[in-house]
Amino acid sequence: MSRLNKELGLLQGVGLLSTSLLGTGIFVVPALAATAAGTASLWAWLILIGLVLPVAFTFAQLGKRFPHAGGAPHLIGRAFGARLERLIAFLFLAVLPVGLPAALNIATGFWQAVLPVGKGEALLIQFVTLGAMLLLGQRPARASGLVQGLIALAIIGTVALVWWVADLPLASQPLLPSIEGSWHLIPTALGVMFWCFVGIEAFTHLGEEFKHPQRDFPLALLLGVLLAGLVYWAFSVAVLSFHVYGDVHSDAASLPRLMQLLLGEQARWLVALIGYLACFASMNVYVQGFARLIWSLADEGKLPSPLARLNRHGVPARALLVVVLICCLCASLAAVLQLSVDDLIRYANGNFVVVYLLSMAAGWVLLRGVWRWLAGFSTLLCSLVLLALGSEALYALGLLALFAALDYGLGRRAAVLASHD
């Protein structure tokens, strides 16, 4: 029986996941991929979707069979025990100090492109953004689903507007160009593009709130992945057609440059609004997912019981408040320490891959038949990605070792105290 209100339907689920995956990536990553691989990046998107689908199918089957607000840590715990569940839960929460400030900085950057925003004003915008997520999160989950569905339509509409005004596809830019002699560029592009599909693990925390999780959760996950992949590919066609890529500065400003070319200077405000909303949607899924993870741990007696209380709408309002306050603190520290977005994202990447890797390994243990073999293939894929990260994975692996040592020490201390009693 679900401990939370069953509020989400199929379309709301698709809106939540697709906006989470699109997020900030839709306006930056296609240009980064084009810089890395040129026209071969169009093939790289199709290859990436094919590689991500096994992971998505595995998460879909796990979420269908074990819908739970604990999300990926709960699935890992079912497969490997309570201790690893605790460790992965804290590793996932450790994304907060680095991942959310990075996303907040990117979101603020869209307003800095049209307004004279200083450091103080930028931090205020970030606090207001978090406040909006706090207010939205007080409502039932379907409210977030509705808002994010509208944002998804705005993102898709922006890409469609670009295609319509530019009269794409152009004869000079084939939709699937010849890739002869460019295969060696594909791995580099895939390394950049993989992060567009980080967000599936946060979506699993909402599985307990679907009206029909066995039917709608896997469909929402798979349709959300396919929709996001199609939008990324479509925007990549536009980026390549108008050559708005080539270096760090061009890549970061690919959408503003493209819209200015097509619609003139007045398009800057449209870019700022759509870009900010895309960032907001991506962050909102994570913030709401973190809140449900904390609530689930408290509800099971693994965190202080006051965090397990629900408000009158049946949502974990107290846990959400804790998450938002932590985000405010981390955003303030990132501003004081002047940490760059690149640094923050690099540290967060390893955490996500470790969570994905152990979730796929949990699928190998928990699933049967063809789904088990698919989970095994996904485990291998995530292992290769972790190896490809190299030193960037040390933040996650170091945190995991630290949490394991603390958990072991606390367990030994509790055993000693119990023996004295």
Side-chain angles (χ1 to χ4, degrees):
M1 181 177 178
S2 176
R3 300 168 297 166
L4 295 170
N5 290 338
K6 290 178 172 289
E7 301 280 355
L8 295 176
L10 176 60
L11 293 179
Q12 292 163 330
V14 172
L16 281 165
L17 181 60
S18 61
T19 48
S20 173
L21 298 180
L22 290 169
T24 57
I26 182 60
F27 302 124
V28 178
V29 176
L32 292 172
T35 298
T39 57
S41 62
L42 294 178
W43 284 97
W45 284 113
L46 300 182
I47 293 170
L48 180 62
I49 293 170
L51 293 175
V52 168
L53 280 177
V55 177
F57 271 112
T58 303
F59 269 123
Q61 290 303 310
L62 289 169
K64 175 182 177 180
R65 286 167 170 74
F66 312 105
H68 196 277
H74 170 75
L75 297 171
I76 293 167
R78 290 186 73 103
F80 303 115
R83 172 168 288 183
L84 193 55
E85 178 183 0
R86 289 195 301 272
L87 296 180
I88 295 303
F90 286 115
L91 182 66
F92 191 42
L93 291 172
V95 172
L96 278 174
V98 288
L100 267 296
L104 286 166
N105 273 310
I106 295 172
T108 306
F110 284 102
W111 294 120
Q112 290 173 322
V114 295
L115 294 171
V117 176
K119 292 182 179 179
E121 292 87 351
L123 192 59
L124 179 60
I125 291 174
Q126 294 178 19
F127 289 161
V128 171
T129 301
L130 290 168
M133 293 178 197
L134 178 62
L135 290 176
L136 182 59
Q138 306 300 310
R139 307 295 301 172
R142 66 174 181 270
S144 286
L146 176 62
V147 170
Q148 303 224 177
L150 294 174
I151 294 174
L153 290 176
I155 295 171
I156 295 170
T158 301
V159 176
L161 177 64
V162 169
W163 270 61
W164 180 64
V165 174
D167 196 22
L168 295 177
L170 301 179
S172 59
Q173 178 56 63
L175 296 180
L176 285 178
S178 172
I179 200 173
E180 185 178 354
S182 301
W183 283 105
H184 65 286
L185 300 174
I186 296 293
T188 304
L190 290 175
V192 174
M193 295 153 57
F194 179 82
W195 306 113
C196 296
F197 291 92
V198 167
I200 299 173
E201 79 297 332
F203 186 67
T204 60
H205 294 281
L206 302 174
E208 201 170 339
E209 295 173 75
F210 274 80
K211 296 175 186 176
H212 306 287
Q214 282 72 29
R215 183 193 69 189
D216 291 345
F217 178 83
L219 275 176
L221 197 154
L222 296 173
L223 290 175
V225 167
L226 290 172
L227 176 61
L230 177 61
V231 174
Y232 273 117
W233 178 82
F235 191 65
S236 292
V237 172
V239 167
L240 288 162
S241 297
F242 289 90
H243 301 280
V244 284
Y245 65 93
D247 56 54
V248 174
H249 299 294
S250 296
D251 295 344
S254 59
L255 180 65
R257 287 180 59 203
L258 182 57
M259 296 299 280
Q260 188 171 355
L261 282 171
L262 296 176
L263 299 176
E265 187 67 20
Q266 67 272 21
R268 291 193 308 152
W269 283 96
L270 175 63
V271 169
L273 179 60
I274 299 299
Y276 174 79
L277 289 176
C279 295
F280 179 90
S282 182
M283 289 185 288
N284 185 53
V285 170
Y286 271 100
V287 168
Q288 306 299 339
F290 284 135
R292 280 152 178 78
L293 173 57
I294 290 175
W295 170 83
S296 180
L297 293 172
D299 187 60
E300 296 169 356
K302 299 167 186 175
L303 286 177
S305 58
L307 294 174
R309 295 182 185 174
L310 302 174
N311 69 5
R312 62 189 179 90
H313 295 295
V315 297
R318 288 197 175 188
L320 177 61
L321 177 61
V322 169
V323 172
V324 169
L325 290 176
I326 292 173
C327 289
C328 288
L329 176 61
C330 294
S332 301
L333 288 174
V336 170
L337 298 175
Q338 297 184 339
L339 297 176
S340 72
V341 173
D342 289 342
D343 290 334
L344 294 168
I345 290 176
R346 186 171 65 249
Y347 289 131
N349 283 347
N351 291 48
F352 290 122
V353 177
V354 171
V355 173
Y356 270 54
L357 172 61
L358 291 175
S359 297
M360 297 302 100
W364 172 260
V365 174
L366 297 173
L367 300 176
R368 293 293 179 266
V370 67
W371 301 116
R372 187 185 192 202
W373 289 104
L374 191 65
F377 174 75
S378 301
T379 303
L380 177 61
L381 175 63
C382 292
S383 299
L384 294 175
V385 174
L386 186 65
L387 289 173
L389 285 178
S391 61
E392 293 179 6
L394 294 179
Y395 174 75
L397 296 177
L399 281 176
L400 189 60
L402 176 62
F403 292 150
L406 290 173
D407 186 73
Y408 177 78
L410 291 173
R412 287 291 300 271
R413 182 182 179 185
V416 169
L417 291 174
S419 64
H420 287 317
D421 293 340

